[in-house]
Structure formats: structure tokens, C-alpha cells
Amino acid sequence: MAEQNQSTDKKMSRRRFIRNSSYVAGGLVGGGLIGGLIGSNLGNKNQDDAGTQGQQHENGAYQQAPLYFTNPEIFAVLVAATERIYPTDDTGPGANDLGAPFFIDHSLAGSWGNNTREYMQGPFYPGSNFQGYQSPLKRHEVFDTGLAALQRISNEKHDANFADLEGEQQDEILTSFQKDEVELKGVTSKTFFNILRQATIEGVYADPAYGGNTNMEGWKMKGFPGHQMSYYDKIESDEFMKIEPNSLHSYTK
């Protein structure tokens, strides 16, 4: 999970995280949630406050509304958890401003959330660290279970909703999931946390066409050019060229 800026001497800084994640972002986008979203008619989404207020973006105005979550309190848990995993700081916007909660919500409503392309029949045995998804639950059920547990533990420990806790309190609860210290039915808390974290990162760096990476701000932080039609006029240049990022939206107008 993301660390606070006050303890960068002991933990990975946000800036280093952004730099290092460039090595895996391509694999996440190519082989993760995006595969389950191809063919979906999704607009660019961004989170306001777990509500459905629209916002004007550089490449058009798009409706903001959850497709999967119908309980605002549970959606608020998702919003708060993703923001702690990828927080806003002086480096740039966090998961919330980049629309990651809506990216995850739309993914859960589609084939990725329903494990449509995966074998989901038993028997189910505890998997090793070298095996993939082993839960009998579909991903949307994993999120239902995990987010409800975050809310439950928050109420038990602090008598408050997860979204209303201080950042340090949210981190403490999320860390207990990451360390597999929470009992969940049908899935381990570590598995839930890992899926949540991966989905958050994908929502930050995915093409805005899939509901995250609002205004391509995730790409801009990395200097990633996005989807360019061609580099023919640039590839022979001996000088470094800064290229403005381009989204798939530009090819659908």
C-alpha cells in the first residue's frame, strides 16, 4: 500500500513508486483489467465524492455514475481505499482524482468482474505463490466481501465508517488485509488487497477510454505518450522530444 510522505526515509517514496511502476504498467494494461473491458461502451469517468456529479474533461463531458455498486457507503469505502493506495501528493493527483474507483466499478460490472474468460469450476484448493487466481468467488464477489469487511472492521475498531477515518487509521486496517490477518469467507484478505491494489494502479494508468486516468494525468506524470498514430516524423530525431499524450478517444470522434 502507499506510504505517507512523513516516512519516506524508511519506505518507498511516491515519486520512486511512479518511476518503478513504469516497468510493469505495460503488463498491467495489456494483460489485466483492460482485456475484460475491450468492447465495452465506456465513457471517461471521474470520482467526485462517491456521487454522480458530472465533470468537464479535456476531451469531452462524460457521465459519472457507478455501474456495479448500488450502495453509496460501500462505494465510498472503495474510493477511500484506492486513495490510500495511490494518494494525492506534490507529485500529482491520486487515484480519486484519476477516476480509479469508477474504472474498478465498471470492470466489476463487466466480464473481468464476473471471471467470464476463466475456468471457475472446483475443486478449489489453497494456491501457492506461483499460482494465479484460486478463489471460488468471482471478482465482484471478492470486492463485495473485502469492502464489507473494511467497513465492518472500521466500525468495530473506531465506531466510524472506513471513509471517515484518518489516513493513518485507514492504513492500519489496509495493512492488516495486506498481511493476511483478516478472516474472510471464500478468499484471503491478502488476495483481496492484491487485487484491489492492482486494479487501482490499472485505473491510474489505463487509457481514459476505459474510465480511469482522467485527462491522461497518470500518463503525464510518467511522460508516457499514450496512443500515437505514428512516430514516423520523430523517430529519426537526434534530440529528445516531448510528446503530448493521446487517448483512444481522439480516434473515435
Side-chain angles (χ1 to χ4, degrees), residues 12-24:
M12 179 181 290
S13 69
R14 166 73 180 279
R15 188 173 297 278
R16 179 190 283 182
F17 170 76
I18 291 176
R19 184 178 70 246
N20 290 352
S21 61
S22 65
Y23 300 120
V24 298

Side-chain angles (χ1 to χ4, degrees), residues 99-170:
F102 282 98
F103 174 84
I104 295 173
D105 170 86
H106 298 161
S107 302
L108 294 175
S111 58
W112 182 81
N114 288 278
N115 299 70
T116 302
R117 303 181 182 182
E118 299 171 49
Y119 182 82
M120 291 295 294
Q121 302 299 315
F124 297 97
Y125 299 107
S128 72
N129 293 331
F130 303 100
Q131 292 177 305
Y133 192 86
Q134 296 294 313
S135 173
L137 302 181
K138 295 180 179 180
R139 288 191 186 88
H140 71 85
E141 295 172 319
V142 170
F143 273 80
D144 289 342
T145 300
L147 295 176
L150 286 174
Q151 185 79 312
R152 173 177 54 80
I153 294 174
S154 175
N155 281 289
E156 290 175 353
K157 286 191 172 183
H158 304 287
D159 194 28
N161 290 336
F162 183 84
D164 297 327
L165 298 181
E166 297 294 330
E168 293 80 3
Q169 295 171 321
Q170 293 173 336

